[in-house]
Amino acid sequence: QDPVYDFDGVAAIASLALGPVRMDSCRAEVIVEDILGSPEVAAELAGRALECAGARLGAFTTGGVVTSEAAIVHHFRAQHGDTTLSFRVQADFGPEGADYYLPRPEFDLEGNAWRLEEPARFRTGAGYFSLEPAALSSDYGSLQAYGTWDEAGDRLGGEVVLDRFDLALVNAFARED
């Protein structure tokens, strides 16, 4: 039987850019089990100046577990000015892509609290994205959406319904340049 190697440690990360994700600094507590076999990674991270695809999210904390079959983010919280984002998410990986389950994320955009009415489910793959019907609402309005983009099938369809939705709220995430 081959030996099983594990890792347990702390990393201090400065000025990281990985694909669409950037951050000024991050402290990560990481545990990796069975590194050369079927690795399972558990991590807790805390950092500042997080950006994702150009959206400024600010200071953050997060933690979860990743294997070759799935990823679970047990908690994520980011704050930029008076805007806060928190959520949990699960992703199941398969040969065609990934299925995501997003139960009850919370967005506090400039003092306006937004919530999903029901957990959101969506699927991604090479040239494919599908969102099951989802509704985001607050005392200030709502957004309902569903849709599918299938590049191979040459198909794009869906619907977005805005009810008293203030598009200026997305300014909290827009780049200033």
Side-chain angles (χ1 to χ4, degrees):
Q1 179 175 348
D2 292 333
V4 174
Y5 297 100
D6 297 335
F7 170 82
D8 185 343
V10 176
I13 303 164
S15 191
L16 173 72
L18 183 62
V21 177
R22 300 182 186 292
M23 65 187 77
D24 281 354
S25 65
C26 177
R27 182 180 190 281
E29 297 177 13
V30 180
I31 298 171
V32 184
E33 296 178 354
D34 197 8
I35 293 172
L36 301 177
S38 297
E40 179 175 308
V41 180
E44 291 287 330
L45 292 87
R48 17 171 245 162
L50 177 64
E51 285 189 25
C52 187
R56 292 186 176 144
L57 301 176
F60 71 96
T61 60
T62 188
V65 178
V66 178
T67 69
S68 61
E69 287 106 28
I72 299 173
V73 175
H74 296 293
H75 65 91
F76 176 91
R77 185 178 196 289
Q79 184 165 3
H80 177 68
D82 59 358
T83 297
T84 303
L85 167 65
S86 63
F87 63 84
R88 295 177 297 128
V89 66
Q90 177 175 333
D92 295 313
F93 309 126
E96 302 298 316
D99 292 315
Y100 296 86
Y101 173 72
L102 184 63
R104 309 278 182 185
E106 298 179 4
F107 309 91
D108 190 346
L109 304 173
E110 300 178 356
N112 299 318
W114 293 82
R115 308 281 185 273
L116 276 178
E117 293 177 9
E118 296 292 330
R121 296 180 187 278
F122 56 99
R123 174 175 282 171
T124 62
Y128 185 84
F129 175 84
S130 176
L131 171 66
E132 292 182 13
L136 184 65
S137 62
S138 81
D139 292 340
Y140 301 96
S142 68
L143 177 152
Q144 298 177 22
Y146 67 89
T148 301
W149 169 64
D150 182 357
E151 186 176 37
D154 196 28
R155 192 178 79 202
L156 173 64
E159 181 175 79
V160 175
V161 177
L162 304 175
D163 178 23
R164 297 179 298 125
F165 188 88
D166 182 359
L167 292 176
L169 293 172
V170 298
N171 286 341
F173 297 105
R175 295 181 78 155
E176 292 177 10
D177 55 346

